Amino acid sequence: MGHPRQHPTCVHGGGRRRRLRRAHGAAARLHPHRVPAACFRIPPPPPPHAQLLPLRLAADPSGILLLQANLRCTPTRETIDRPYTKSVSWKLDNRRYFVHNATTSSAFQLPDPAATIMHQALLGLVVSPGGGGHYMVAELQPIIGMDTATLLCFSSEVGEWVEKHVHYPLPPRPWSSSPSSAWIRPRSSASLPRLGSGSEKHVHYPLPPRPWAAICVLSHLGRLWWVEVDLSWGLITCDPFADEPVLGFIPFPAERVLKCWEGWGVADKYRYVGVSGAKLRFVDMYARSGCGCAPNVAVWTLADPESKEWTLEHEARFTQIWADESYQATGLANKIPVLALIHPRNPDVVYFFLEEHLFGVDVRARKVVECEVYGLVAPPSCRMASRFVRAWAGTLLR
């Protein structure tokens, strides 16, 4: 709420002001019939960390990478003005986005879009299945409280950013990442005026009522796949090259779907979605409370995205892995590790973090096939999770 000597001012509907002073052991009191209409002065945030690290946001199997560079700038207030929503945030750095071809060692800086890129976790890159070296960078932007969303797209063939407005029928979305957050009911799309003209693509958004946000974006079969932030429910997929794109939803196996907020904040340590052996794989080692199950790791395959059916390929208990000579030779403790990723070519091999080591296990054989100390600069080992690791063409990106 600011500096201790700055008393926040609350503006009431009648225009009169009252000072709210800090209360020791008690909340500051307002008149019971007066409802605050505007609130508190918030001081500028501290400057960003001195070490602004570049980021690898996405990787296409063809060898095209999406990178982000963060340049220091003076913290400034930034107004985000979009259709049907306006917000204010602090701009702590200048972000630049690059498409890097690892095969030719060339890079291209994307132009700055007129619209704001909302979050790096929502950005994906996919190479055109039609060939020609073309690609699409796209961000799926839900609008809080509305039943519309925006696909912000950059096409290498067109050479510019385009906004595509899509139908977003999710009911309430949270105002923040907290289970106790307030909810806003969106209006019907029938009440919304038509946005813009020819370049827009209107699609149906097929999810039932439940909050949803992405943790990363995958490229597979010429489509983009947004992976849910708490890995509890499923994936959203879209073909950004289609003239009439349709958003699809692929739920996880029914027995692996978690309740809303059940795995919030920890699921990315025990779940992972990635492409391995040219198929989508879902790796799960999340132990639901009260199930009484022995800790294990399971690998599921989505062979046919049209069917939405996951197949259990193999699973193993950690007690079986710990008992094998290959694990004992690593010198690692018999502790539940943090899930890192699945091998992008061999779906039998899953990687884990433990005690600053990255080790690979052939889940089918219950054997350790690789183990080494990893050299990640950030985040610290206590915060490691699958969201911080990307795999590409058999090369681990760290």
Side-chain angles (χ1 to χ4, degrees):
M1 290 178 60
H3 193 279
R5 294 184 180 179
Q6 292 179 333
H7 301 297
T9 300
C10 189
V11 182
H12 297 276
R16 289 178 293 178
R17 298 173 179 265
R18 294 186 63 185
R19 295 283 185 181
L20 299 182
R21 299 186 178 276
R22 291 178 176 269
H24 295 282
R29 295 173 179 258
L30 289 176
H31 191 282
H33 300 295
R34 292 174 179 165
V35 178
C39 268
F40 309 109
R41 295 194 299 260
I42 302 177
H49 193 277
Q51 190 175 20
L52 298 174
L53 300 175
L55 302 172
R56 294 183 180 97
L57 301 183
D60 186 87
S62 65
I64 307 297
L65 310 178
L66 179 61
L67 310 178
Q68 175 183 325
N70 303 312
L71 308 179
R72 176 182 290 279
C73 72
T74 302
T76 57
R77 285 164 58 92
E78 182 179 46
T79 299
I80 300 173
D81 193 355
R82 303 190 57 77
Y84 312 110
T85 182
K86 178 180 288 187
S87 61
V88 177
S89 64
W90 284 100
K91 182 178 181 180
L92 303 178
D93 52 33
N94 289 318
R95 299 175 183 178
R96 301 290 184 267
Y97 299 93
F98 297 84
V99 173
H100 172 61
N101 189 323
T103 303
T104 62
S105 298
S106 61
F108 170 73
Q109 181 178 344
L110 298 180
D112 293 334
T116 302
I117 293 176
M118 304 302 293
H119 197 282
Q120 63 210 29
L122 298 169
L123 273 173
L125 177 147
V126 58
V127 170
S128 172
H134 295 298
Y135 58 83
M136 181 83 74
V137 176
E139 181 187 34
L140 178 59
Q141 300 180 343
I143 301 174
I144 294 177
M146 303 298 295
D147 62 354
T148 61
T150 298
L151 277 175
L152 180 61
C153 302
F154 176 85
S155 167
S156 62
E157 190 169 11
V158 177
E160 62 181 7
W161 291 89
V162 177
E163 288 187 320
K164 304 173 184 180
H165 301 281
V166 299
H167 180 58
Y168 188 92
L170 273 181
R173 284 181 54 84
W175 276 109
S176 67
S177 58
S178 167
S180 60
S181 301
W183 299 90
I184 299 298
R185 184 80 181 182
R187 293 183 290 176
S188 166
S189 58
S191 66
L192 300 178
R194 182 176 175 81
L195 303 175
S197 56
S199 64
E200 296 163 6
K201 301 180 181 180
H202 301 270
V203 301
H204 175 64
Y205 192 95
L207 295 186
R210 181 167 171 170
W212 191 95
I215 192 173
C216 70
V217 190
L218 304 175
S219 171
H220 179 54
L221 298 178
R223 304 172 66 88
L224 289 176
W225 302 76
W226 284 268
V227 182
E228 187 189 13
V229 68
D230 63 354
L231 293 157
S232 67
W233 195 13
L235 317 172
I236 289 178
T237 181
C238 176
D239 176 6
F241 299 101
D243 293 333
E244 298 292 335
V246 177
L247 300 184
F249 177 65
I250 310 294
F252 290 141
E255 62 268 37
R256 299 286 175 159
V257 172
L258 304 181
K259 297 178 181 178
C260 187
W261 306 112
E262 182 178 350
W264 189 264
V266 297
D268 62 342
K269 291 179 177 289
Y270 307 111
R271 289 186 160 195
Y272 176 82
V273 177
V275 178
S276 178
K279 295 179 181 179
L280 273 176
R281 315 285 178 169
F282 168 48
V283 185
D284 186 19
M285 51 180 284
Y286 181 81
R288 308 185 75 163
S289 59
C291 71
C293 304
N296 72 345
V297 55
V299 178
W300 298 73
T301 299
L302 185 69
D304 179 12
E306 297 297 328
S307 71
K308 302 183 180 182
E309 294 292 332
W310 295 87
T311 302
L312 178 62
E313 293 289 342
H314 39 264
E315 62 181 330
R317 295 191 302 273
F318 279 103
T319 52
Q320 296 173 310
I321 298 171
W322 296 334
D324 192 84
E325 292 180 357
S326 61
Y327 185 86
Q328 296 173 7
T330 66
L332 296 174
N334 293 352
K335 294 170 57 177
I336 302 297
V338 171
L339 181 58
L341 74 161
I342 190 170
H343 195 289
R345 289 178 177 168
N346 184 356
D348 289 348
V349 177
V350 177
Y351 288 86
F352 303 89
F353 292 112
L354 182 64
E355 298 175 353
E356 300 185 351
H357 284 74
L358 178 68
F359 68 97
V361 173
D362 184 323
V363 178
R364 193 184 298 273
R366 279 80 165 164
K367 292 183 177 295
V368 174
V369 295
E370 190 174 359
C371 181
E372 64 180 45
V373 176
Y374 63 80
L376 288 172
V377 177
S381 58
C382 62
R383 295 186 180 179
M384 280 308 305
S386 61
R387 74 169 71 195
F388 299 115
V389 185
R390 299 287 183 269
W392 162 65
T395 300
L396 297 183
L397 299 183
R398 299 196 288 247

